[in-house]
Amino acid sequence: MAAPFIMLVDDEVSFVETTAKRLVKRNIKTIMAFSAEEALKKLKENQDLDVIVLDIKMPGMDGIDALKEIKTVAPLVEVIMLTGHATIELAIDAMKLGAHDFLMKPFDMKEFVLKIQEAAEKKKQQEEKIQKAFKEETLSKYGPFYYT
C-alpha cells in the first residue's frame, strides 16, 4: 500500500508539530492545520488527502462541525476524531456523522499509525469500488471500445 497522506488538525501547536514529525519518520505524508477553518481551506487545496485526524475541542468551529463539512465536500476522506475530553456520547455522535474512528489523547503511537493505515486502506477500497462501477457502467452503455 502507498504511504497515507494525512492532515493533523488541532489547536495545540506543539502537539501537532511533534506528532507530525513522528508520523513523517514512519513514512506518512503529513500536513498540519491549527483550526477547523484552516483544515477546510487546506482540504480544498489537497484533494488527494486520505485521512484527516481532527481534534474535537477547538476554538471557533469545533471538530464535530468540521466533520460535517468535511463529509459534505470530501465524503471519501476518512476522519479520525481526537480528543482529551471525550465522552461515549461524543464518540457515538462522531461515528454517526461518518468518523472512521475515535482516539483519546494521549495515545499509543503504534495504535495511532495502525488506525491511520486502516482508514487510508478503507478510502482506497471505496475509490476502487467507485472506479469499477464507473467502468462497468461505461462498458454496458458504450461497449469495450469507448473505455480504454
Side-chain angles (χ1 to χ4, degrees):
M1 184 178 121
F5 179 28
I6 76 157
M7 178 169 31
L8 278 175
V9 186
D10 197 314
D11 60 311
E12 295 179 40
V13 175
S14 62
F15 168 78
V16 172
E17 290 175 345
T18 302
T19 305
K21 287 178 188 174
R22 294 178 74 189
L23 291 171
V24 168
K25 285 182 181 178
R26 289 166 172 82
N27 198 35
I28 296 175
K29 184 179 175 187
T30 306
I31 59 174
M32 300 176 281
F34 304 103
S35 70
E37 294 84 359
E38 181 183 3
L40 293 170
K41 181 180 178 207
K42 287 188 174 188
L43 176 59
K44 290 176 185 167
E45 299 165 357
N46 296 278
Q47 294 292 312
D48 55 341
L49 274 167
D50 296 310
V51 180
I52 297 174
V53 179
L54 182 62
D55 188 36
I56 290 183
K57 301 264 185 195
M58 292 183 287
M61 179 185 284
D62 69 11
I64 296 294
D65 287 336
L67 172 64
K68 292 174 188 174
E69 185 67 22
I70 290 164
K71 286 299 180 178
T72 299
V73 298
L76 293 182
V77 172
E78 294 298 335
V79 179
I80 297 172
M81 302 303 290
L82 191 62
T83 189
H85 320 283
T87 65
I88 296 297
E89 294 81 19
L90 198 55
I92 291 169
D93 288 346
M95 301 299 265
K96 284 180 181 176
L97 292 169
H100 174 78
D101 213 330
F102 197 92
L103 269 176
M104 288 284 297
K105 289 189 233 175
F107 51 79
D108 176 73
M109 185 54 75
K110 286 182 183 179
E111 178 187 7
F112 184 48
V113 169
L114 182 63
K115 288 185 182 292
I116 290 170
Q117 291 169 335
E118 289 171 354
E121 181 61 27
K122 181 179 177 186
K123 180 186 182 241
K124 179 183 172 205
Q125 290 173 359
Q126 291 296 323
E127 289 172 335
E128 288 171 354
K129 283 181 184 176
I130 291 168
Q131 288 172 351
K132 182 180 178 188
F134 175 75
K135 182 177 180 180
E136 288 172 359
E137 181 180 343
T138 303
L139 288 172
S140 71
K141 283 185 179 178
Y142 304 107
F145 299 106
Y146 183 79
Y147 189 86
T148 56

